[in-house]
Amino acid sequence: MPEKIPAKIDYIKPLEDKPYSQVLKEKKEYKERLRKKLSDIAGAGNVIDDAETLAKYSKDKSLEAPRKPTFVVFPNNTEEIQKIVKLANEERVPLIPASSGVHFYGATIPLESGIVIDLSRWKKIFKIDSRNRAVRIQPGVTYGELQPELEKNGLRALMPLLPHREKSVVSAHLEGEPMMVTEFNYSEPLYTCEIVLPRGDIFRTGSAASAPPEVSLSDLVGPWGPGFDWNRLYTRSQGTLGIITWANLMAEPLPTVQKIFFTPSRDLNTLINFTYGIQRRWLGYECFILNKANLAAILAEDGAAGYAELKKKLPSFTLIHCIAGTKRLPEEKVAWQEQDMFEEAQAQGVYPQATIPEVPHSRKFFDENMRKPWQKELYWKDVPRGASADIFFLTTLNRVPEFIKAMNEAAECFEYPVSDIGVYIQPIENGRATHLEFNLPYDPNNSAEKEMVNKLHLAASERLIDLGGVFTRAYGRWAYMVNNRNAISSKTAKTVKDFLDPNNIMNPGKLGF
Amino acid sequence: MIMKSLEKYKWDLVNCERCSMCKWVHPWRTQSHRFAKVCPSVSKYLFDAYSAQGRFDVIRGLLEGEIEVTDKVLEVLYACTLCGGCDVTCKFSRDMEPLEILHQIRIELVKAGKGPLPAHKAGLESIKNYDNPWQQPRTRRSNWARKVKVKDITKEKAKILYYAGCTYSYNPDVQIVAQNTLSLLLKAGLDIGILGNKEICCASPALKVGAEDVYHDFAKKNIETFNSLGVEKVITSCAGCFGIFTNHYPEIGKMNFEVVQGVQLIEKMLIEGKLDFKKKVPLTVTWHDPCHMGRGGEPQNIWDGTRTKWGLSDPPRTRNFGNKGVYDPPRNILKAIPGLKFVEMERIREYSWCCGAGGGVKSAFPEFALWSSRERVEEAKSTGADALVTACPWCELNFDEGIKADGNKIKMISLINIVTEALGE
Amino acid sequence: MSLPKGAYQALEDVLGPENISDDPAITTAYSYMWLLYITHAQSGKYRPAAVVLPSSTEEVQAIIRIANRYGFNYIPVGSNLLPPTIPVRPDTVIIDPKRMNRILDIDEKNMYAVVEPYVSYAQLQAETHKVGLTITTPEAGSQVSVVANNMFQGMGGMAHKFGYNRGILGVDWVLPNGDLLKIGSRGVPNGGWFWGDCAGLNLKGLVRADTGHCGGLGMVTTMAVKLFSYPGPRVFPCEGANPNFVAKFPEDRFKIFLIDFPSKKKVGDAMYDIGQCEIGAAVHAEGANWILAADCASVEEFWKRWPDFQKKWKNILAVTIAGFSSARQVEYEEKVLMEIIKEHGGKLVDEELYKVGYNAMGEAFRTGLSNRLYRPAGDFFVMGGFGFDSLDHAIKSSEIFWPIIEDAYKRGLFVEDTTKSDWINSYQMGHFSEVEPIVYFEHDLKAGEAFLLGYIKTITDALAKKMHPSWPLGAMNYITGPAMCNYHELVLGLKKLLDPRMTSNPGYPLPETNPFAPPPEK
């Protein structure tokens, strides 16, 4: 205790302050210093920060709020990425990997500013391995670029339903997009990959870990390990755990003979039972159900007007199912599978047809386009109104009607026309689970409508999660919804993230914590 | 150090791989989650020590001086009915003798003065003093046959000796089995005699608890007696006696007679058309294979050799796999009875679930014996059967207790009693 | 072999006195381990301090929290078959799941089952066959735990059709800190058990890798597993009596073909073709020793038949075709298979050999062959193997393994096998493979040492050749790690974060310090 209280208390010593002019100078210098360092690494021409570019990367086709990055960088090779990652750690600046030309779900919108690492120019197809049914590619390769090359080798890529033509194949796999072919999915068509870790080290998964591909005597197709299941950890992590530089993906034999069947029904349960039946028997390849809204969007030949007309004609739901033969005795394969399929159809009281009677060109369309990205300028989801807000998750086929009911109820609350909602049911893994997707078309230029759809999207998502929808691809708002409902999972995930990325530079905030 | 004779089993003890097959019915024979286990001991007590694999580890621990014989060790080694379920499943893959080893450790414990358990002593003394484990006087042994006119084989020669066994002789609840069996055989015109009060225990209860000396004495005496009678066959209704005569007695001395289980003879009579089933028996029944008539009822393959390289036996050893027991005769008999519907349980033949009474368990671990019985009764009930049928007094008495314990409606019936009913007698 | 003061009482209070024991008569049954005895002479050195029998996830959480409070270590086991579950510290508690033995659900429509850790494959299959479903059973035998096996291996005879290491769906996992982590759809309210990938960051990636953590990251207490369609009889079609069973499947829906090829390369080519044609349910190149061991009722019989059998059985491919959809499928696939056989120079084996190998189909569906592999010599294991990559890689790998094996033959330590026939597996329609040369040896330290050093050599040789090595277990991760992107540092880092007190089987997934590191300089 002091003996005497001093007259003047002078214990608050202000820190030295900088003049504001210096603050402004340092701000500019910071950005320039960062630009210089990035340019030294990747070349000045590959470091972009003009307003138009930054605006483009600040948003995407989702409803997530726009946020600008500081720079967009196009590295030329893996070493440059490593250097950028090390720089990011030093400067504590976030990195956001991107590889598609178009983005749908907000994964590449920087939440805390940062540098977008754009690999969409990385278009190498290293090796097509017909024997092992594999293809090793860089992240910028699109389905439009890959599929023709695979076809020359008697293979086809595993594809989601009519992806955007700028969609990166590697992204589609890493995002865990549901593939149309249920048999080969096994949910995990990724063999091995190379990642630049958040601390800048190179890591390769599975059997690729033993040696770089240039010298490895393995075929890079062993997907597990080493140590943990890194492929699984990295899939759907939205670039928060590292930057993929190449991936070795499954490819499958290209059908040489095929028959596509269209099974319409007003009663979804009947179609679901039929789907269970054919999936359990491992019949056919592509197999999915679309409601009239989505089918109209896909088949409409002249934009929104055509869509509206077609929607009136189409059956409530249609199952589209492809039976095909590949390498040996393809016609015989188609024949026996067709017989079995009709056996199942008869048991369920449904009638698979060679085309949709109301849409004569449907057969031709799917015959020619099933294994291609969307060809037209206006993406099919945007056909009805110009944009679409999507909600998707996993569930089981038998619960689909319950979720549709919940979605419709939510729409009614917001006076959103139920008949506009697109429904896409994609069975995966021989029908043991299903990707269920709702597409909510809206006019992006109508701010009131957009705001309404945003609220509907939020409310419906909350409801669907509470009902039991498994949002494995937890983009944006879903990440927070998911984490809020599972404290232990959130805590453990944060432990993993903090360990792998101690400076939290990799796409921070995307995991919902 | 005790257990010198276990040294010859060291290969088995050391090569046990912990595959856990000894706990289960063979997978190809498993028909449900509920009735998939074969070892009552580990199924009840749960710790691995109570399985064959676990007991091997305990024995190994004793051999290597890692542990000592304590009350708990004795409990672990004696809480086993020696049913042989583990032996059957192990041998599917391995060239080992689990049952022999589980038996041998008891013999060693008795030799070392550590066994048997206190609960066994009364029965053992009774065998030594009264020729039966039930502390009953010799003079009452043949009371069960008072009303049956049959030769006293000690005074009048006969071709066949009917050996009632101690339990059928003394226990009033099951004496009817011996009576009905003997009556049936006599009616069929067979030349049969009984030893009456001169009959002595087969000594299986002594052997099962490890009192090998007592067993040797009695077995030797019995073989000498049966040989001296000049009989062609020795018939017994008791599965326990049948098992010991078939599976162990040949080690003791040459047997100049054939050992036959009562049901085998009844089946023979059926085949020869000597049984006239006049009355329908409108029951649904299921058959329980007693351990010592089934997998324990195989003729023994005597072997006294060593293990050589790769675990080969020198001389080569023929093993018992449990598949040559008396399985078909009782089934054939039951299926021939008019009005009777026969259904099988899941764990049958060499995978039969033990009733729980054998191996000294009934006296030392009565709650375990009851538990095992109730488990089997549940299995019988699951078939929809009205009655559980068997041909072993230990099984019958233990199942009766198990049925009553849970107030079940299913009945316990001895095979001979159903046959007698069907014959209209 | 004792616990810190107070720990036993705490455990007893949670579990009840009948569900815990530290008596040597009980604990000694958990201290011997076949493979470890011969490889490390460690088996039997430590009895666990106690064995506990929890009955629920909550009790497992309590056990693990008590372990953290008092600082003792624990090892959760399944059927307790393999070396990683042997106690190597005196204060180890074995968590024996025998009271957690329920099948909680079989969802026939969505093809999965929910099981507790002491449910065996045989039990699960017996129930699933009743509803026309099945699960692939591992070669370790269908008496092993479904949960433990899926956590560790998850291989199976039907992996060609059903996949490898894809079988785990929703999981309840008690972490080393006692928290209950629900993996997959379990982590979502009303999500059920049907899916294994997590909502958000996919923590399923921590559940296991190409192999599991052997209890080093807590304990899984309930697991949903995939089931698959099964066109077989509701009761397994077993004929015969022990030990000579035959599984007589209905021939219109199940066929096995045993095909002799002129070389291992041709076997590989045929396996590729079969996968590319998307036919077959089980596809294995079968080792001669393995097939004969499975067909013999005694070791004497094996040794009598082995000299002659070796001459006849080389480069044999076993292909099981199953009509999952219909008999038409079997007819079609058989036709395709015949084309493949012809193209690659194969021929069907004669009737004598067919009879010997026929049961491989039943084994693939129901048991797994491993149990019978102890027959030839008393012990066996795989020399190398489990290096998952392509079929070509598998065949190339065996070129590394065989010189090591032959060296041991020359020293009289392993059973000699002139066929050099490996067990080569096709997984997931030939997308992956691995090769397992089975070696047989007696239960002694010299042979065990030869095996262990040989196994490690397969790893170092493979890495030197830039190939994917055999599975490293435990400390071996320090050998593979530096050559494989230093994954071991990541694994150890995560282990330390998830198990900060190192109470969960501390040597796994890898020990804290590198036992192969040279001693520090003085």
Side-chain angles (χ1 to χ4, degrees):
Chain A
M1 281 287 292
E3 279 181 10
K4 213 167 110 172
I5 307 289
K8 187 178 170 194
I9 297 176
D10 194 13
Y11 56 83
I12 298 170
K13 287 185 174 26
L15 290 169
E16 275 192 39
D17 197 3
K18 300 177 204 179
Y20 188 60
S21 56
Q22 190 174 346
V23 169
L24 282 174
K25 187 171 168 236
E26 281 176 5
K27 270 201 320 196
K28 198 172 167 210
E29 277 174 4
Y30 164 79
K31 195 167 173 185
E32 291 315 310
R33 192 177 75 244
L34 197 53
R35 185 202 306 283
K36 180 165 189 325
K37 286 186 178 176
L38 288 170
S39 300
D40 285 347
I41 295 170
N46 290 321
V47 181
I48 318 286
D49 70 338
D50 64 273
E52 195 186 327
T53 304
L54 295 185
K56 181 182 157 203
Y57 282 82
S58 72
K59 55 186 187 296
D60 66 10
K61 294 168 92 57
S62 71
L63 292 164
E64 299 298 312
R67 302 255 177 104
K68 281 193 309 183
T70 313
F71 290 103
V72 177
V73 175
F74 293 86
N76 295 291
N77 53 51
T78 304
E79 292 70 33
E80 286 180 14
I81 294 179
Q82 284 183 277
K83 287 178 184 165
I84 294 170
V85 168
K86 285 180 178 142
L87 173 66
N89 274 288
E90 284 159 11
E91 300 284 348
R92 297 285 198 273
V93 64
L95 297 176
I96 302 95
S99 50
S100 286
V102 64
H103 306 283
F104 286 86
Y105 306 118
T108 53
I109 297 175
L111 289 180
E112 297 173 20
S113 179
I115 302 166
V116 172
I117 305 289
D118 192 326
L119 302 182
S120 58
R121 296 175 186 172
W122 286 32
K123 294 210 176 274
K124 267 201 205 135
I125 299 174
F126 292 105
K127 183 178 176 186
I128 295 175
D129 183 351
S130 312
R131 189 161 161 92
N132 287 300
R133 287 166 285 163
V135 59
R136 191 163 75 90
I137 58 175
Q138 286 188 325
V141 176
T142 64
Y143 279 105
E145 289 156 353
L146 179 62
Q147 190 57 23
E149 295 305 313
L150 288 176
E151 283 179 14
K152 289 177 197 165
N153 289 270
L155 296 172
R156 43 96 154 249
L158 291 172
M159 278 178 71
L161 174 66
L162 298 169
H164 195 284
R165 58 192 178 175
E166 289 178 58
K167 181 77 192 182
S168 145
V169 177
V170 171
S171 273
H173 281 67
L174 288 175
E175 286 178 41
E177 294 227 30
M179 304 302 178
M180 284 190 293
V181 177
T182 67
E183 176 166 356
F184 302 116
N185 190 347
Y186 300 98
S187 311
E188 290 146 322
L190 172 65
Y191 281 124
T192 55
C193 62
E194 181 180 87
I195 305 159
V196 177
L197 295 178
R199 301 182 214 202
D201 303 313
I202 295 273
F203 193 85
R204 290 181 300 276
T205 65
S207 57
S210 326
E214 301 77 37
V215 298
S216 178
L217 285 190
S218 86
D219 287 307
L220 313 177
V221 296
W224 302 288
F228 284 116
D229 202 330
W230 305 104
N231 279 347
R232 281 181 174 140
L233 265 175
Y234 282 102
T235 306
R236 300 181 207 87
S237 64
Q238 301 175 61
T240 57
L241 299 179
I243 302 172
I244 307 269
T245 58
W246 59 256
N248 202 24
L249 306 173
M250 277 191 202
E252 292 299 347
L254 185 69
T256 51
V257 172
Q258 76 179 25
K259 272 190 179 177
I260 300 179
F261 294 92
F262 300 87
T263 309
S265 184
R266 262 195 296 230
D267 176 14
L268 182 58
N269 282 312
T270 310
L271 273 190
I272 284 172
N273 288 336
F274 179 47
T275 305
Y276 268 126
I278 55 179
Q279 287 303 308
R280 188 153 157 158
R281 293 171 80 157
W282 267 296
L283 294 173
Y285 294 112
E286 289 84 355
C287 177
F288 52 95
I289 298 173
L290 296 169
N291 76 340
K292 60 166 85 177
N294 268 348
L295 195 49
I298 289 169
L299 292 175
E301 288 184 307
D302 49 353
Y307 156 82
E309 271 311 298
L310 205 48
K311 207 167 77 167
K312 290 182 204 158
K313 294 188 217 174
L314 284 170
S316 305
F317 291 95
T318 305
L319 168 70
I320 298 165
H321 180 219
C322 176
I323 288 176
T326 55
K327 193 174 170 186
R328 291 182 191 268
L329 306 178
E331 292 91 356
E332 293 194 37
K333 181 172 179 182
V334 169
W336 80 257
Q337 289 211 350
E338 188 179 339
Q339 269 189 285
D340 283 10
M341 184 201 72
F342 275 108
E343 207 174 69
E344 196 64 40
Q346 196 169 38
Q348 301 297 339
V350 294
Y351 307 99
Q353 297 163 64
T355 191
I356 301 172
E358 299 84 352
V359 188
H361 69 270
S362 52
R363 166 69 176 264
K364 186 168 183 288
F365 175 86
F366 279 101
D367 249 338
E368 291 173 3
N369 292 290
M370 186 96 88
R371 288 171 212 110
K372 289 192 173 113
W374 186 254
Q375 301 295 300
K376 297 179 192 166
E377 186 67 38
L378 183 65
Y379 191 49
W380 64 270
K381 290 186 186 179
D382 299 335
V383 162
R385 292 189 61 70
S388 171
D390 303 335
I391 303 177
F392 45 80
F393 51 90
L394 296 181
T395 183
T396 50
L397 275 166
N398 56 336
R399 291 196 70 193
V400 164
E402 184 188 339
F403 283 102
I404 290 178
K405 183 164 177 275
M407 182 70 234
N408 292 347
E409 283 168 356
E412 280 161 4
C413 287
F414 288 86
E415 295 177 354
Y416 183 93
V418 166
S419 61
D420 280 2
I421 301 176
V423 177
Y424 166 39
I425 302 165
Q426 176 61 68
I428 57 175
E429 293 250 354
N430 298 110
R432 72 173 69 257
T434 191
H435 164 95
L436 175 58
E437 181 168 331
F438 300 108
N439 308 110
L440 309 170
Y442 69 93
D443 179 355
N445 299 317
N446 182 334
S447 53
E449 188 178 325
K450 189 173 173 183
E451 180 56 23
M452 179 270 284
V453 166
N454 191 19
K455 285 182 182 161
L456 167 58
H457 190 274
L458 267 165
S461 299
E462 295 270 10
R463 178 78 187 106
L464 294 166
I465 287 186
D466 283 336
L467 258 187
V470 183
F471 283 70
T472 54
R473 298 161 64 196
Y475 299 112
R477 57 197 59 182
W478 295 334
Y480 293 93
M481 289 179 197
V482 148
N483 280 313
N484 285 342
R485 286 162 170 80
N486 193 337
I488 303 295
S489 180
S490 181
K491 180 175 142 191
T492 310
K494 191 160 191 324
T495 302
V496 172
K497 165 71 168 162
D498 285 348
F499 172 73
L500 292 172
D501 183 13
N503 295 316
N504 197 22
I505 53 143
M506 290 306 313
N507 214 355
K510 277 293 179 319
L511 295 175
F513 46 70
Chain B
M1 184 68 202
I2 60 170
M3 291 171 286
K4 278 225 168 83
S5 76
L6 281 161
E7 289 288 335
K8 82 170 183 184
Y9 294 111
K10 193 132 193 218
W11 191 95
D12 299 55
L13 297 172
V14 157
N15 279 275
C16 169
E17 312 294 352
R18 296 193 124 269
C19 72
S20 288
M21 284 289 277
C22 53
K23 299 169 178 140
W24 303 95
V25 172
H26 189 274
W28 284 21
R29 287 289 185 206
T30 303
Q31 295 182 48
S32 70
H33 169 264
R34 176 70 178 82
F35 300 119
K37 295 175 182 163
V38 83
C39 173
S41 187
V42 76
S43 300
K44 162 121 176 74
Y45 294 103
L46 301 178
F47 292 108
D48 272 355
Y50 291 90
S51 64
Q53 158 255 305
R55 291 189 175 106
F56 276 23
D57 289 345
V58 170
I59 295 167
R60 207 169 140 180
L62 291 171
L63 272 179
E64 292 177 5
E66 298 275 343
I67 57 172
E68 292 174 346
V69 178
T70 60
D71 285 348
K72 194 67 178 176
V73 166
L74 288 172
E75 181 203 294
V76 163
L77 294 173
Y78 273 99
C80 164
T81 57
L82 297 177
C83 71
C86 56
D87 196 76
V88 164
T89 53
C90 177
K91 281 170 174 166
F92 175 78
S93 336
R94 304 306 313 271
D95 297 87
M96 291 198 184
E97 295 291 339
L99 184 60
E100 224 173 88
I101 295 170
L102 297 181
H103 206 172
Q104 194 63 32
I105 184 64
R106 295 182 183 193
I107 293 172
E108 290 298 325
L109 287 168
V110 169
K111 275 190 200 159
K114 308 279 186 184
L117 298 180
H120 296 141
K121 291 197 170 138
L124 203 54
E125 289 305 306
S126 178
I127 291 174
K128 287 195 273 192
N129 296 326
Y130 305 121
D131 295 337
N132 72 83
W134 303 121
Q135 297 166 80
Q136 296 292 314
R138 288 187 189 85
T139 49
R140 285 205 209 140
R141 191 172 182 113
S142 61
N143 281 3
W144 66 273
R146 260 195 305 220
K147 292 188 181 154
V148 183
K149 212 165 175 303
V150 62
K151 285 181 188 175
D152 178 348
I153 206 168
T154 62
K155 298 189 173 116
E156 205 182 336
K157 272 201 172 316
K159 284 189 183 162
I160 298 171
L161 168 67
Y162 179 72
Y163 180 91
C166 302
T167 312
Y168 281 137
S169 295
Y170 285 107
N171 192 311
D173 292 333
V174 292
Q175 281 172 335
I176 186 77
V177 170
Q179 290 159 358
N180 281 345
T181 307
L182 187 57
S183 300
L184 176 67
L185 299 178
L186 287 168
K187 272 209 184 98
L190 296 174
D191 180 16
I192 295 189
I194 63 172
L195 282 163
N197 292 341
K198 296 259 167 36
E199 187 182 275
I200 62 172
C201 185
C202 66
S204 169
L207 182 62
K208 298 294 183 209
V209 301
E212 198 181 38
D213 289 347
V214 174
Y215 160 73
H216 273 156
D217 277 345
F218 275 72
K220 206 157 164 256
K221 265 188 223 160
N222 272 323
I223 292 173
E224 280 169 6
T225 302
F226 300 162
N227 280 342
S228 72
L229 291 172
V231 293
E232 292 170 3
K233 290 185 185 9
V234 172
I235 299 174
T236 178
S237 298
C238 173
C241 303
F242 174 77
I244 204 83
F245 289 158
T246 312
N247 201 269
H248 290 273
Y249 270 31
E251 244 181 340
I252 304 298
K254 191 166 184 305
M255 291 156 61
N256 302 326
F257 49 88
E258 187 191 348
V259 176
V260 179
Q261 225 281 350
V263 302
Q264 291 177 302
L265 202 48
I266 297 171
E267 190 210 18
K268 189 160 181 281
M269 290 162 66
L270 178 70
I271 293 167
E272 290 170 358
K274 291 181 181 164
L275 290 179
D276 180 19
F277 290 132
K278 297 190 187 79
K279 194 171 162 221
K280 281 190 178 173
V281 182
L283 279 178
T284 302
V285 308
T286 189
W287 169 256
H288 165 78
D289 293 292
C291 300
H292 303 300
M293 195 169 116
R295 53 183 171 244
E298 288 186 335
Q300 202 205 59
N301 295 294
I302 301 168
W303 180 83
D304 186 22
T306 50
R307 293 269 196 184
T308 59
K309 199 167 172 56
W310 311 130
L312 289 158
S313 298
D314 181 29
R317 179 169 191 168
T318 308
R319 296 187 192 275
N320 284 24
F321 290 100
N323 55 27
K324 294 196 181 69
V326 179
Y327 296 122
D328 291 314
R331 288 170 166 84
N332 292 337
I333 295 166
L334 288 168
K335 286 174 190 170
I337 292 177
L340 194 91
K341 185 176 168 208
F342 178 73
V343 291
E344 289 275 21
M345 288 186 278
E346 289 181 23
R347 293 176 289 193
I348 60 172
R349 295 178 179 258
E350 65 265 41
Y351 299 106
S352 179
W353 175 266
C354 179
C355 73
V361 163
K362 185 78 181 163
S363 38
F365 306 98
E367 81 291 343
F368 172 29
L370 182 61
W371 178 89
S372 192
S373 153
R374 288 162 79 187
E375 167 71 8
R376 189 57 156 170
V377 169
E378 282 306 307
E379 192 176 353
K381 277 167 62 185
S382 75
T383 65
D386 304 308
L388 173 57
V389 181
T390 191
C392 168
W394 298 83
C395 299
E396 288 168 38
L397 291 165
N398 209 33
F399 285 143
D400 253 335
E401 272 190 46
I403 288 168
K404 283 176 185 138
D406 292 321
N408 284 301
K409 291 205 175 92
I410 194 169
K411 295 182 215 164
M412 172 66 243
I413 308 180
S414 184
L415 177 64
I416 187 60
N417 295 345
I418 287 192
V419 167
T420 304
E421 188 182 337
L423 290 169
E425 287 156 22
Chain C
M1 289 153 267
S2 62
L3 293 177
K5 269 199 203 130
Y8 191 95
Q9 185 63 52
L11 291 168
E12 192 181 270
D13 288 343
V14 166
L15 299 168
E18 66 281 6
N19 296 313
I20 176 173
S21 179
D22 60 356
D23 194 303
I26 300 295
T27 58
T28 221
Y30 295 83
S31 64
Y32 291 99
M33 179 56 63
W34 54 285
L35 199 58
L36 216 65
Y37 173 81
I38 57 169
T39 57
H40 291 85
Q42 266 177 1
S43 186
K45 288 283 181 268
Y46 289 122
R47 290 191 294 279
V51 180
V52 293
L53 301 168
S55 68
S56 66
T57 298
E58 293 71 27
E59 285 185 1
V60 169
Q61 285 181 278
I63 292 165
I64 288 177
R65 289 187 180 129
I66 291 170
N68 284 318
R69 180 190 306 281
Y70 290 94
F72 61 83
N73 75 101
Y74 57 88
I75 306 177
V77 304
S79 57
N80 207 2
L81 177 60
L82 285 181
T85 54
I86 193 77
V88 293
R89 275 169 48 165
D91 62 339
T92 304
V93 168
I94 297 288
I95 304 179
D96 186 335
K98 287 206 189 63
R99 294 170 71 210
M100 299 174 75
N101 62 353
R102 296 174 297 165
I103 298 174
L104 297 174
D105 188 24
I106 294 175
D107 186 325
E108 192 195 331
K109 250 193 150 52
N110 298 301
M111 299 197 290
Y112 65 84
V114 185
V115 294
E116 290 185 326
Y118 203 67
V119 173
S120 74
Y121 279 96
Q123 286 179 300
L124 182 57
Q125 272 199 333
E127 295 300 331
T128 58
H129 282 189
K130 292 174 188 170
V131 294
L133 294 172
T134 191
I135 182 169
T136 186
T137 59
E139 299 305 331
S142 50
Q143 80 285 2
V144 305
S145 154
V146 174
V147 170
N149 180 260
N150 270 281
M151 288 299 293
F152 181 63
Q153 273 194 334
M155 285 172 165
M158 302 296 295
H160 173 78
K161 187 74 178 177
F162 297 163
Y164 166 73
N165 186 13
R166 308 290 200 195
I168 300 176
L169 300 169
V171 164
D172 279 1
W173 177 12
V174 180
L175 294 174
N177 64 3
D179 284 342
L180 177 60
L181 176 63
K182 298 188 180 197
I183 295 284
S185 54
R186 275 295 281 166
V188 170
N190 304 306
W193 291 92
F194 77 96
W195 200 245
D197 290 311
C198 295
L201 187 68
N202 196 5
L203 296 173
K204 189 180 181 183
L206 298 181
V207 170
R208 50 163 296 169
D210 44 359
T211 179
H213 311 310
C214 308
L217 284 176
M219 179 174 176
V220 165
T221 56
T222 317
M223 178 187 282
V225 289
K226 287 186 193 174
L227 301 174
F228 301 87
S229 128
Y230 172 68
R234 297 303 181 247
V235 174
F236 193 71
C238 176
E239 292 178 5
N242 185 47
N244 300 311
F245 294 132
V246 173
K248 283 276 190 200
F249 286 93
E251 280 193 7
D252 63 330
R253 299 296 281 263
F254 294 86
K255 280 191 176 174
I256 180 168
F257 298 88
L258 298 168
I259 311 138
D260 194 344
F261 284 96
S263 65
K264 202 176 283 191
K265 182 185 180 310
K266 287 290 183 187
V267 170
D269 290 344
M271 288 171 87
Y272 266 116
D273 211 334
I274 289 165
Q276 287 155 6
C277 291
E278 300 155 12
I279 63 165
V283 178
H284 308 278
E286 302 280 13
N289 46 39
W290 159 288
I291 282 289
L292 184 63
D295 193 54
C296 291
S298 69
V299 55
E300 288 81 16
E301 188 187 345
F302 175 84
W303 281 95
K304 193 170 165 200
R305 294 167 65 185
W306 180 232
D308 191 51
F309 194 77
Q310 283 188 75
K311 296 178 193 153
K312 294 182 187 165
W313 188 287
K314 296 177 202 271
N315 303 315
I316 307 282
L317 181 66
V319 179
T320 294
I321 285 175
F324 293 100
S325 181
S326 64
R328 287 184 274 257
Q329 179 175 4
V330 174
E331 282 169 31
Y332 167 77
E333 293 196 6
E334 184 174 348
K335 251 182 149 172
V336 171
L337 181 62
M338 291 304 136
E339 263 193 27
I340 293 172
I341 294 171
K342 192 168 172 207
E343 185 170 316
H344 297 288
K347 62 182 196 320
L348 298 177
V349 303
D350 62 30
E351 204 179 309
E352 183 204 338
L353 286 186
Y354 184 76
K355 221 162 139 268
V356 176
Y358 175 81
N359 262 347
M361 175 162 61
E363 302 282 1
F365 269 104
R366 186 72 172 200
T367 354
L369 281 167
S370 287
N371 283 341
R372 287 202 147 179
L373 300 189
Y374 300 110
R375 184 142 266 153
D379 246 317
F380 85 96
F381 208 59
V382 173
M383 178 59 83
F386 315 116
F388 287 92
D389 193 64
S390 65
L391 272 159
D392 282 337
H393 181 275
I395 291 172
K396 250 188 298 205
S397 298
S398 98
E399 289 163 22
I400 297 176
F401 306 152
W402 279 101
I404 300 171
I405 298 169
E406 281 167 333
D407 176 64
Y409 290 165
K410 287 189 198 125
R411 292 187 278 148
L413 296 170
F414 295 169
V415 169
E416 194 170 348
D417 178 0
T418 58
T419 67
K420 283 200 203 177
S421 51
D422 309 304
W423 192 53
I424 309 176
N425 279 309
S426 165
Y427 293 109
Q428 238 163 275
M429 287 292 151
H431 278 292
F432 324 105
S433 178
E434 50 93 26
V435 63
E436 296 181 31
I438 315 287
V439 294
Y440 300 89
F441 40 85
E442 285 200 282
H443 207 90
D444 78 25
L445 287 174
K446 262 204 155 135
E449 188 187 52
F451 161 71
L452 184 63
L453 292 175
Y455 190 95
I456 293 175
K457 193 166 190 314
T458 68
I459 292 176
T460 53
D461 282 1
L463 289 172
K465 289 184 156 70
K466 312 289 182 211
M467 293 175 71
H468 196 50
S470 317
W471 274 345
L473 263 191
M476 292 184 206
N477 283 285
Y478 281 102
I479 300 174
T480 48
M484 292 172 70
C485 304
N486 291 312
Y487 75 87
H488 63 299
E489 291 173 357
L490 298 177
V491 173
L492 185 62
L494 280 169
K495 161 78 174 176
K496 284 179 174 173
L497 283 170
L498 295 170
D499 185 17
R501 303 205 65 185
M502 288 293 193
T503 49
S504 186
N505 203 1
Y508 292 87
L510 75 175
E512 213 174 343
T513 53
N514 177 5
F516 300 106
E521 284 180 15
K522 286 183 186 159

